[in-house]
Amino acid sequence: MLMPKNVSFPQEYLRRRIDLRGSYDDLLAFPRYFELETVNACNARCPMCTIEDWQRDSPTMKEPLFRKIADEIIAHAGEVKRVSLYRDGEPLLDKKMASRIAYLKQGGINEVTLSTNVSLLNEKRATDILEAGLDSIILSIDSLKKDVFEAIRVRLNFEEVLENALRFIELRNKIRPSCSIRVRMVRQETNADEWPEYERFWRPKLKFNDRVNYHNIHNWGGQLKEFAPVTTTREPNLPCVALWSLMVIFSEGQVPLCNVDYNNTMPTGSVALQSIQEIWQGREMRERRDLHLKGAKADISLCANCNVWDEPSDTEQVSAEYADAVTLTPTAEPVPLATAS
């Protein structure tokens, strides 16, 4: 593996995973990716979610706060790769979603995206978000079998979700063909054998720039009760890409450690009181990154055994290559994930 001069293996791994065109120092300047939780509520109750343990009570982001966040992101539009208008809730519960997409797009943000359980993606909502300028969307559909789907996506109706998804594809083709669609399965024990059939069903319905993939169930940094892994992971052997690429902002403006810190147990700051740049370059972030680079990420309880950033099924598997090259733990072997208690 050829390395740039004066760049360590961990730093080059992070650059390669996050931004091949930039330098490692560029990653420290401003986040490349954002997840803005404009609504902290959901209409489903999925076993791979932590919703029953949520302890925050601020369901919808107020408009002045959204504009403050959006305006600073827009000022860095040339650096920001993607703004995702979702985090832990179902984003289509936000009645202002279309106008918020439009505001970011009018400000020059390259990619604005959503991830949805599809149950609320009826024709009107689909039309509104596509006309607002949505660039990409993740349709989270975990099975093509009604009984399996409804056991995973509790409170949702399989037929309704499938109909909404197929109709959305039609509307996208007509209203905004440039919007890319990613149909994603969260692979777990109950659907682990479905992938080949799932891919065969969805792939012919999509365009060349769309994706069909699975992501193995993750353990929310060890917080998911009764977690049952379906694979081993190399992520605990490597620094986490989130600390160099992603800022999560909750609906009240709080910035947690990362996207698994759903109750903000490790606060990083508040965009209601600080700028995004101040938080990104602040002491908390610097100290956490230093632990990861030194191979001491286990000193942070949420990081020790976390596999949220395992690479999806359809991407180049960079992690395996670097886990074998970098000695960040006593062993470079894949780490079996313990069942969370």
Side-chain angles (χ1 to χ4, degrees), residues 48-150:
M48 66 281 194
C49 181
T50 56
I51 189 168
E52 299 297 346
D53 193 37
W54 291 359
Q55 296 169 14
R56 294 181 293 112
D57 185 23
S58 51
T60 306
M61 183 178 283
K62 292 180 170 54
E63 190 66 12
L65 178 59
F66 173 78
R67 292 295 179 98
K68 179 182 185 295
I69 295 166
D71 287 343
E72 186 176 356
I73 295 174
I74 287 167
H76 291 265
E79 305 157 50
V80 173
K81 287 180 172 291
R82 182 166 64 235
V83 177
S84 303
L85 290 174
Y86 65 90
R87 180 50 256 155
D88 294 332
E90 167 50 50
L92 295 181
L93 289 169
D94 182 356
K95 295 180 180 178
K96 296 181 179 179
M97 183 52 67
S99 66
R100 289 173 168 177
I101 293 168
Y103 189 81
L104 289 165
K105 290 305 298 177
Q106 289 162 10
I109 298 303
N110 179 59
E111 182 178 358
V112 180
T113 185
L114 291 179
S115 177
T116 175
N117 64 32
V118 194
S119 64
L120 301 176
L121 192 61
N122 57 33
E123 185 161 343
K124 183 183 187 312
R125 282 192 178 95
T127 300
D128 288 346
I129 62 177
L130 287 166
E131 290 181 345
L134 187 71
D135 295 295
S136 63
I137 190 168
I138 299 172
L139 307 180
S140 286
I141 304 171
D142 299 316
S143 178
L144 293 172
K145 300 175 182 177
K146 177 179 172 65
D147 58 335
V148 176
F149 174 89
E150 293 182 357

Side-chain angles (χ1 to χ4, degrees), residues 6-17:
N6 302 319
V7 177
S8 71
F9 276 108
Q11 292 172 344
E12 178 61 8
Y13 161 74
L14 291 162
R15 189 192 72 83
R16 187 171 168 190
R17 281 277 313 257

Side-chain angles (χ1 to χ4, degrees), residues 28 45 47 67 72 92 124 138 156 187 205 217-219 238 246 249 252-253 273 293 302 335:
L28 304 176
R45 293 295 182 273
R67 292 295 179 98
E72 186 176 356
L92 295 181
K124 183 183 187 312
I138 299 172
L156 304 189
R187 187 168 166 262
K205 296 173 172 54
I217 186 172
H218 67 83
N219 64 356
L238 293 162
L246 173 67
I249 303 176
E252 72 277 20
L273 305 173
L293 288 175
L302 289 179
V335 178

Side-chain angles (χ1 to χ4, degrees), residues 147-301:
D147 58 335
V148 176
F149 174 89
E150 293 182 357
I152 295 174
R153 297 283 169 169
V154 178
R155 297 188 181 181
L156 304 189
N157 178 272
F158 172 71
E159 290 84 2
E160 182 178 52
V161 165
L162 185 61
E163 180 181 350
N164 285 349
L166 295 173
R167 181 59 177 149
F168 183 84
I169 294 168
E170 294 176 359
L171 291 167
R172 184 283 304 267
N173 293 344
K174 181 168 61 175
I175 297 172
R176 189 168 172 79
S178 63
C179 177
S180 65
I181 297 173
R182 177 178 166 194
V183 182
R184 183 187 64 187
M185 169 197 288
V186 178
R187 187 168 166 262
Q188 49 204 285
E189 284 186 314
T190 53
N191 65 3
D193 63 344
E194 289 188 45
W195 170 247
E197 178 185 354
Y198 185 95
E199 185 179 31
R200 282 194 298 269
F201 178 84
W202 287 109
R203 185 67 261 173
K205 296 173 172 54
L206 299 170
K207 295 164 66 84
F208 72 94
N209 61 324
D210 297 327
R211 297 171 61 189
V212 184
N213 77 302
Y214 67 80
H215 199 294
N216 291 317
I217 186 172
H218 67 83
N219 64 356
W220 289 95
Q223 298 175 97
L224 184 63
K225 296 176 182 179
E226 300 180 0
F227 170 71
V230 294
T231 187
T232 56
T233 178
R234 294 181 183 269
E235 289 303 304
N237 295 354
L238 293 162
C240 180
V241 294
L243 293 181
W244 282 263
S245 62
L246 173 67
M247 179 174 284
V248 173
I249 303 176
F250 288 144
S251 53
E252 72 277 20
Q254 296 297 315
V255 177
L257 166 69
C258 64
N259 54 332
V260 305
D261 188 12
Y262 55 86
N263 277 329
N264 197 24
T265 60
M266 298 190 67
T268 307
S270 170
V271 293
L273 305 173
Q274 303 161 273
S275 71
I276 291 169
Q277 191 166 49
E278 286 172 337
I279 296 170
W280 190 246
Q281 298 178 357
R283 177 178 56 82
E284 291 86 357
M285 292 297 293
R286 293 197 306 272
E287 290 177 351
R288 292 164 185 170
R289 290 179 187 129
D290 190 50
L291 286 172
H292 278 238
L293 288 175
K294 290 178 177 177
K297 65 190 288 186
D299 290 358
I300 305 172
S301 59

